């Protein structure tokens, strides 16, 4: 079982987003969902068809590098806090039943350690017939992989309470477009903690991280 991460309280008096949080978490309950094609040519050249775990690593590393993606609620007092890190909950598809099992991989900044853990979690998920392979900590975000479709958009509805703050990421099928290998990538997050600027930076940093990772493989 993946252990719970530590956290630090978020000071609402000094947090620059406090008025935005109050408006979007309690008022309009708005959210941001952006899909863009991501050029992963460098990674695809090195990893071939085995791009999922490297992509998962790059996405998780970028998310953990940014405070806005790690904001959550303290279950002891309900106050806002920032996780030290968050781990991806992702999915293993079962072709025989056309269902899936949710798995959670512990975040490790060393790529080889993360990849080894993710591969072991995927194997565990393949042997599991239930929705969840294990109990999960609260310090998580969601990732879905749709390798059958190069889509143009994803529309999901977040919690009607306005209090689901963690990122939701979707990865689509890789295709050659204009000589480059591209995947559709979707980032969805509550407007209470992030805006279009933060999402655009997410895409830029994931691309940069895939190139950096490709150079090390």
């Amino acid at each position: 079982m993946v252990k719970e991460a530590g956290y630090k309280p978020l000071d609402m008096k000094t947090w620059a987003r406090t008025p935005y949080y109050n408006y979007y978490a309690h008022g309009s309950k708005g959210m941001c969902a952006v899909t863009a094609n991501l050029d992963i040519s460098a990674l695809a050249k090195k990893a071939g068809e085995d791009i999922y775990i490297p992509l998962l690593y790059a996405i998780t590393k970028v998310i953990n590098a940014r405070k806005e993606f790690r904001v959550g609620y303290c279950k002891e007092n309900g106050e806002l806090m920032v996780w030290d890190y968050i781990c991806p909950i992702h999915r293993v598809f079962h072709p025989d039943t056309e269902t899936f099992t949710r798995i959670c991989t512990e975040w490790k900044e060393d790529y080889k350690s993360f990849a080894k853990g993710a591969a072991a979690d995927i194997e565990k998920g393949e042997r599991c017939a239930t929705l969840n392979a294990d109990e999960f900590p609260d310090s998580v975000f969601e990732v879905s992989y749709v390798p059958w479709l190069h889509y143009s958009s994803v529309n999901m509805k977040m919690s009607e309470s306005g209090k689901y703050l963690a990122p939701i990421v979707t990865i689509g099928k890789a295709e050659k477009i204009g000589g480059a290998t591209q995947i559709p990538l979707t980032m969805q997050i509550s407007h209470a903690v992030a805006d279009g600027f933060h999402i655009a930076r997410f895409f830029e940093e994931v691309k940069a991280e895939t190139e950096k990772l490709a150079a090390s493989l």
Side-chain angles (χ1 to χ4, degrees):
M1 179 179 174
V2 175
K3 63 184 179 181
E4 190 94 296
Y7 61 87
K8 297 177 181 63
L10 198 158
D11 187 348
M12 299 293 285
K13 294 180 180 178
T14 60
W15 188 32
R17 288 198 67 85
T18 293
Y20 304 88
Y21 167 81
N22 289 334
Y23 179 74
Y24 287 110
H26 304 295
S28 72
K29 299 179 176 62
M31 47 76 70
C32 300
V34 176
T35 297
N37 274 337
L38 190 74
D39 185 339
I40 59 164
S41 300
L43 184 61
K45 186 175 181 180
K46 284 291 188 74
E49 295 183 358
D50 298 325
I51 61 170
Y52 176 66
I53 290 178
L55 273 173
L56 183 66
Y57 171 84
I59 289 165
T60 306
K61 184 174 182 179
V62 170
I63 282 175
N64 276 305
R66 294 295 178 181
K67 175 181 176 180
E68 61 267 17
F69 298 140
R70 294 181 283 113
V71 178
Y73 293 97
C74 177
K75 58 186 175 184
E76 281 78 22
N77 58 24
E79 300 295 325
L80 282 176
M81 50 76 173
V82 180
W83 293 110
D84 293 341
Y85 60 89
I86 54 177
C87 302
I89 287 179
H90 48 128
R91 288 140 176 83
V92 173
F93 181 68
H94 304 298
D96 54 336
T97 60
E98 298 182 352
T99 60
F100 62 85
T101 293
R102 297 167 79 231
I103 56 177
C104 185
T105 295
E106 188 166 2
W107 169 238
K108 295 180 181 178
E109 191 152 354
D110 176 69
Y111 172 69
K112 290 183 179 179
S113 298
F114 178 85
K116 182 178 179 181
D121 293 329
I122 290 170
E123 288 183 7
K124 180 178 180 180
E126 289 173 342
R127 299 191 301 269
C128 188
T130 57
L131 173 61
N132 296 321
D134 208 338
E135 292 184 16
F136 303 137
D138 293 329
S139 48
V140 294
F141 70 99
E142 297 274 352
V143 179
S144 292
Y145 184 34
V146 188
W148 313 280
L149 180 66
H150 189 95
Y151 61 82
S152 58
S153 66
V154 171
N155 295 309
M156 294 177 288
K157 189 174 183 180
M158 298 177 73
S159 170
E160 293 184 1
S161 69
K163 290 192 173 184
Y164 186 89
L165 304 179
I168 300 174
V169 177
T170 308
I171 307 165
K173 180 182 178 181
E175 284 191 355
K176 283 279 190 179
I177 300 176
T181 302
Q182 299 187 24
I183 58 162
L185 184 66
T186 303
M187 159 63 86
Q188 177 173 279
I189 193 164
S190 170
H191 222 333
V193 295
D195 303 315
F197 167 80
H198 305 97
I199 295 176
R201 184 170 62 186
F202 165 80
F203 284 102
E204 292 174 358
E205 293 182 344
V206 170
K207 183 177 186 298
E209 192 57 45
T210 61
E211 293 172 349
K212 180 180 175 182
L213 183 57
S216 70
L217 293 177

